[in-house]
């Protein structure tokens, strides 16, 4: 929204910042077909949240794991950010895991990654996927009685960073990397082995004063639409939520 001579004027483009997601790409396609212009920036969950707090975007997609609680999004927001400035729009669930080139167990994947036997392709700092990896590393550091920097320095490719799940899987498929974390749908699209880590909540954040704008309302209507639900239902590694499109006020 912009101000012109003291009058608030709603801009027509929906500016999205935040986490990358395949199903969300399809949702934005539906929105554009409905006449809504969408400007998309895949910058990760935390940076997306920051742009909302700074009033630089309209909507952010997040999947932020609370390291203390193990829950997603709402716990983090209530502890660290936004207060009454933010509202959460419930999204969907998706499956995250290790993508590899050769079949192995979860334990094998973690051990070989931390021992330097597998080359990692990592996600960008601030992404929810990067936070998930950091939780795994943190737990292993306690188990091995090693500090975090020692473990990070032992991981080959730790500083090889990309911005999307597709970029992760492409590097593994091409042989540039051996392992990375990505969603199941992308791993299966490239016919690569997938090792389950968790089901996560992929939700959306907007500002309270933008919740009533036409573009946010149209986004919520599309999120709840039969067309999008049918797309999501047909994707491997995704689950519909009963309260998808529901509003939660951050207090």
């Amino acid at each position: 929204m912009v101000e012109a001579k003291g009058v608030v004027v709603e801009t027509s483009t929906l500016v999205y910042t935040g986490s990358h997601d395949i199903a969300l790409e399809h949702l934005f396609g539906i929105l554009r077909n409905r006449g809504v212009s969408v400007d998309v920036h895949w910058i990760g969950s935390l940076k997306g949240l920051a742009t909302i707090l700074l009033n630089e975007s309209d909507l952010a997609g997040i999947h932020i794991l609370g390291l203390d609680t193990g829950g997603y999004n709402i716990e983090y927001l209530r502890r660290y950010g936004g207060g009454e400035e933010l509202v959460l729009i419930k999204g969907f669930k998706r499956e995250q895991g290790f993508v590899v080139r050769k079949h192995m167990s979860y334990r094998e994947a973690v051990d070989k990654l931390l021992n330097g036997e597998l080359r990692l392709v990592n996600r960008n700092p601030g992404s929810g996927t990067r936070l998930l990896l950091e939780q795994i590393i943190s737990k292993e550091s306690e188990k091995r009685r090693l500090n975090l920097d020692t473990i990070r320095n032992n991981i080959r490719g730790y500083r090889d960073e990309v911005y999307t799940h597709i970029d992760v899987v492409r590097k593994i498929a091409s042989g540039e990397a051996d392992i990375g974390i990505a969603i199941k749908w992308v791993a299966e699209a490239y016919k690569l082995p997938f090792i389950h880590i968790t089901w996560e909540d992929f939700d959306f954040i907007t500002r309270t004063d933008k919740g009533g704008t036409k573009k946010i309302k149209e986004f919520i209507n599309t999120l709840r639409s039969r067309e999008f639900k049918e797309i999501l239902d047909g994707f491997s590694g995704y689950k519909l939520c009963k309260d998808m499109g529901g509003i939660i006020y951050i207090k």
Side-chain angles (χ1 to χ4, degrees):
M1 301 178 89
V2 297
E3 289 191 8
K5 295 181 180 179
V7 179
V8 177
V9 179
E10 183 179 335
T11 55
S12 58
T13 299
L14 175 69
V15 179
Y16 172 90
T17 56
S19 183
H20 173 250
D21 183 72
I22 297 297
L24 191 56
E25 291 184 7
H26 287 260
L27 188 150
F28 289 149
I30 299 171
L31 270 176
R32 291 184 177 109
N33 289 336
R34 294 182 174 188
V36 178
S37 175
V38 185
D39 184 14
V40 179
H41 303 271
W42 307 120
I43 60 174
S45 294
L46 291 180
K47 289 182 180 179
L49 175 59
T51 65
I52 295 294
L53 290 170
L54 294 170
N55 203 17
E56 295 175 346
S57 65
D58 302 306
L59 186 74
I62 65 170
H63 55 112
I64 303 173
L65 178 63
L67 297 180
D68 296 332
T69 65
Y72 274 90
N73 302 329
I74 194 70
E75 292 91 342
Y76 181 93
L77 292 169
R78 283 178 173 158
R79 182 166 182 175
Y80 295 110
E84 295 181 356
E85 295 180 10
L86 304 179
V87 291
L88 182 141
I89 304 167
K90 283 302 299 177
F92 42 81
K93 289 186 177 290
R94 64 180 195 175
E95 190 174 5
Q96 285 259 54
F98 286 117
V99 182
V100 291
R101 285 191 287 121
K102 296 181 180 180
H103 289 279
M104 64 185 74
S105 68
Y106 174 86
R107 189 68 255 165
E108 287 177 294
V110 171
D111 287 343
K112 289 183 177 182
L113 172 65
L114 301 189
N115 293 340
E117 297 176 53
L118 299 177
R119 181 173 180 83
L120 175 71
V121 52
N122 208 348
R123 286 294 305 280
N124 53 300
S127 68
T129 301
R130 177 71 166 254
L131 294 174
L132 177 59
L133 176 65
E134 290 302 314
Q135 186 197 50
I136 293 170
I137 292 173
S138 179
K139 287 181 178 179
E140 289 297 319
S141 74
E142 294 177 8
K143 186 184 298 183
R144 298 180 182 213
R145 297 182 180 179
L146 294 171
N147 67 54
L148 285 170
D149 286 338
T150 298
I151 287 188
R152 291 187 185 111
N153 290 335
N154 202 42
I155 298 175
R156 290 193 299 131
Y158 180 82
R159 291 171 179 81
D160 180 10
E161 297 163 356
V162 297
Y163 278 83
T164 71
H165 295 272
I166 292 175
D167 289 336
V168 168
V169 175
R170 281 176 177 165
K171 284 217 166 193
I172 297 168
S174 69
E176 296 175 72
D178 304 305
I179 188 170
I181 297 179
I183 55 176
K184 185 177 183 179
W185 187 94
V186 181
E188 292 192 350
Y190 279 78
K191 296 180 171 56
L192 288 171
F194 177 85
I195 306 165
H196 171 84
I197 297 176
T198 190
W199 282 95
E200 62 182 11
D201 295 330
F202 192 101
D203 298 320
F204 303 94
I205 295 295
T206 190
R207 294 180 66 85
T208 305
D209 57 4
K210 291 188 177 183
T213 60
K214 291 180 181 179
K215 52 193 171 184
I216 294 296
K217 286 181 177 179
E218 191 60 38
F219 171 80
I220 293 172
N221 288 338
T222 304
L223 185 63
R224 293 171 172 169
S225 70
R226 178 180 296 178
E227 183 178 3
F228 179 66
K229 287 179 179 179
E230 287 177 351
I231 289 172
L232 203 64
D233 197 42
F235 278 6
S236 176
Y238 283 85
K239 289 181 182 178
L240 296 169
C241 293
K242 292 181 180 179
D243 55 350
M244 197 159 69
I247 303 295
I248 297 176
Y249 291 90
I250 312 301
K251 297 180 180 179

